[in-house]
Amino acid sequence: MRYRWKVIVRGEGQGWEHLNLAEDQAAMIVESCPPDYFAYMLPMCMFDEWR
């Protein structure tokens, strides 16, 4: 089973999510995160798909 991924980005009092990504897309977002922010990727669960 191939997972879809989500990326959570936080910093400077802000935060947002990128949902339903392929693993390489998620990794690219994490790697290109600005220095004042942090980002991490997680496998999506069924709950995320219902939003």
Side-chain angles (χ1 to χ4, degrees), residues 20-37:
N20 204 24
L21 302 167
E23 186 173 3
D24 59 336
Q25 292 173 313
M28 185 176 68
I29 293 171
V30 171
E31 291 170 6
S32 64
C33 183
D36 295 339
Y37 291 79

Side-chain angles (χ1 to χ4, degrees), residues 3-6 18-23 26 41-44:
Y3 287 103
R4 299 303 289 174
W5 295 83
K6 70 178 179 180
H18 300 271
L19 300 175
N20 204 24
L21 302 167
E23 186 173 3
M41 57 191 272
L42 299 166
M44 288 186 62

Side-chain angles (χ1 to χ4, degrees), residues 8-19:
I8 299 173
V9 182
R10 301 272 190 253
E12 296 183 355
Q14 301 180 57
W16 61 94
E17 295 181 357
H18 300 271
L19 300 175

